[in-house]
Amino acid sequence: MIALILGLPSAAGLNVVQLAADHLAAPRSHLQLVKSLPVAKGENGMQTVAELCAARGVQLLIADMNRIGRRAASLSRKQDLQPVKVACPLFGEVNSYRADILALAWGQIEAEPK
């Protein structure tokens, strides 16, 4: 971004502050895209974090969903279970976990102080 700003001719008439604000606002529109895409579905009783959020009627940031997934992966490994990869339109593929392990991970993350 800095190279772009430095490379602008002074007579370009562009508002650099507006360009920066547009760049900072881009993740917000990305989150809107995430909400509008189909939810990746687990198979054979497995569940993705996005499915769990949809079932509970909650919309989380991708970072929070990632934390829940990492916790579910850790809990799965402790029980010698492997997450199953499923297709996802946004990320290519995501992990799916046993529903009880995913619910436990959700509860642990939710109980952590913020």
Side-chain angles (χ1 to χ4, degrees):
M1 176 99 170
I2 292 173
L4 176 66
I5 293 171
L6 293 177
L8 288 175
S10 60
L14 294 175
N15 184 342
V16 176
V17 174
Q18 185 61 44
L19 285 173
D22 290 346
H23 178 72
L24 291 174
R28 229 176 293 143
S29 63
H30 176 70
L31 289 177
Q32 295 297 336
L33 174 66
V34 170
K35 293 175 192 173
S36 66
L37 287 173
V39 173
K41 305 263 185 216
E43 300 169 352
N44 299 328
M46 305 288 269
Q47 194 174 32
T48 65
V49 176
E51 269 185 296
L52 180 68
C53 291
R56 295 183 180 207
V58 176
Q59 292 180 346
L60 296 177
L61 296 174
I62 293 174
D64 294 331
M65 294 172 71
N66 186 289
R67 286 180 56 220
I68 294 168
R70 287 194 322 261
R71 181 68 54 94
S74 174
L75 292 170
S76 294
R77 282 191 303 273
K78 287 179 183 176
Q79 296 184 21
D80 289 328
L81 300 170
Q82 291 296 320
V84 175
K85 300 243 182 235
V86 295
C88 173
L90 182 61
F91 299 109
E93 62 183 16
V94 295
N95 288 334
S96 61
Y97 311 91
R98 277 190 8 204
D100 60 329
I101 291 176
L102 195 53
L104 180 61
W106 174 289
Q108 288 180 0
I109 295 294
E110 196 172 59
E112 289 178 355
K114 299 197 188 250

